[in-house]
Amino acid sequence: MDLGDIRGVVSDMDGVLWRGDVPLPGLVPFFSLLQDKDLPWVLATNNSSKSRQDYVRKLAAMGVPDVPAENIVTSGTATAAWLRRRYAPGTRLHVFGGDGLRDELRSAGFCVADSDVSAVVAGLNRDLNYEELRLASDLIRNGACFVGTNPDTTFPAANGVAPGAGSLLAALAAASGVEPTIIGKPHPPMFEAALELLGTDASQTLMIGDRMNTDILGAARVGMRTALVMTGIASHNDLDNGAPGPDIICESLPALTAALATG
C-alpha cells in the first residue's frame, strides 16, 4: 500500500506500543517519525480502566514526554461522550469497572453511585468480586440501562493474554439477562471521535492496530486505511477467516515505521 497520501494516524496502544507495562521495540522512533513528518496523531484504546492522564504518564515513563491528554481517546472517554448526549449532568450512574472509568464519568459531570441509577456502565475491572457482579446485575434487572465500554474479550499483557472487558460484560449479561449497548471499537463512536480530533478525511487516515475484529474491522467500516501489527492479539491464522484484511501487515512497529518513512 502506498502510504504517501496519509495525512493522519490513529494508533491503538495495547499490543502496538506496549504489552502490559513493557514498551515494545520501536516505540520512541515511531513517535519521532510522526513528528518529523508533521503527521497529526491520536491514540485510541478500548481499555477504559485508565484515564487519559494515566496514559500521559505511562508514555512519559517510556520516553515519549509531553503527550497532550486531548490526543488520547479511550473507550471510557467515548462512552462518557455518548452518555452526555443522552443524560443530563448530575445523572446517577453505576460503574462496573476501574477507577479510570469512574474518573472519566465524574469529569463529564455525572454522579457515580450504587443506587437509584439511570445506567450501569461496565468496563475492565481487575478487582472484580461477586458482590460487585450481584449489585450491577440487580441494577440492570431493575431497569438501569446497560452500557459497555468495549467488547474485547482479551488483551495482550506482558506475560501473555489476559481476560478483557468483554469477558466481564458476558458475565454481567448472563447474570442480568440483558445485552449491553457497546461503545468502543469496532463501533463507530471511537473512530469518529479520533477523526474529529485529527480533522482529516477517513480515506487519508491510517488506523494501526493489533486486532482484526476491532481495530481493522471498525476502521475499515468508516473508510479508514488500516495497518495490522503482529505484536498483540492477531495471528496469521486470523488473516484466513474470510473477513476483509488490512491494507498493510507489519510484523512489528519498526517495520511499520519504516513503511511510513518511505511512503
Side-chain angles (χ1 to χ4, degrees):
M1 181 182 72
D2 180 13
L3 297 177
D5 63 345
I6 294 298
R7 297 293 178 263
V9 172
V10 181
S11 180
D12 186 33
M13 291 189 271
D14 293 300
V16 176
L17 305 180
W18 54 65
R19 292 183 69 100
D21 291 322
V22 179
L24 287 167
L27 170 64
V28 173
F30 170 68
F31 283 97
S32 296
L33 176 75
L34 296 179
Q35 181 176 356
D36 291 344
K37 291 181 72 73
D38 199 25
L39 277 174
W41 52 269
V42 166
L43 303 179
T45 177
N46 263 354
N47 192 337
S48 65
S49 64
K50 297 182 183 295
S51 70
R52 286 178 290 181
Q53 287 298 335
D54 290 331
Y55 284 113
V56 169
R57 289 187 288 268
K58 184 169 186 172
L59 285 158
M62 292 182 176
V64 186
D66 303 322
V67 170
E70 294 75 20
N71 280 41
I72 298 172
V73 177
T74 73
S75 61
T77 64
T79 298
W82 186 89
L83 290 164
R84 278 200 305 270
R85 293 192 292 271
R86 289 159 176 82
Y87 296 102
T91 297
R92 294 167 64 87
L93 306 174
H94 178 71
V95 174
F96 182 77
D99 290 338
L101 181 55
R102 289 184 180 86
D103 291 343
E104 291 293 350
L105 295 181
R106 289 189 180 108
S107 295
F110 296 111
C111 175
V112 175
D114 294 333
S115 62
D116 300 320
V117 300
S118 297
V120 171
V121 187
L124 182 61
N125 180 358
R126 291 183 172 88
D127 299 314
L128 175 67
N129 62 51
Y130 182 83
E131 284 304 311
E132 289 173 322
L133 178 62
R134 182 198 60 77
L135 173 59
S137 61
D138 282 349
L139 292 169
I140 294 168
R141 280 197 300 271
N142 287 330
C145 179
F146 181 12
V147 181
T149 57
N150 75 85
D152 291 354
T153 54
T154 59
F155 67 91
N159 56 351
V161 176
S167 298
L168 306 186
L169 294 183
L172 189 50
S176 66
V178 176
E179 292 296 323
T181 296
I182 299 178
I183 306 303
K185 298 177 288 185
H187 302 283
M190 286 276 294
F191 301 99
E192 292 168 351
L195 289 169
E196 184 177 355
L197 284 170
L198 287 173
T200 54
D201 186 83
S203 65
Q204 293 183 306
T205 306
L206 181 68
M207 174 69 209
I208 305 167
D210 71 311
R211 286 180 178 270
M212 288 287 293
N213 64 343
T214 55
D215 301 317
I216 304 306
L217 175 63
R221 283 175 174 170
V222 299
M224 297 171 70
R225 311 276 280 282
T226 58
L228 180 71
V229 293
M230 307 303 293
T231 50
I233 293 296
S235 71
H236 287 282
N237 291 334
D238 296 323
L239 303 174
D240 301 323
N241 63 6
D247 293 304
I248 185 172
I249 302 168
C250 294
E251 291 299 321
S252 64
L253 192 59
L256 177 60
T257 302
L260 280 169
T262 58

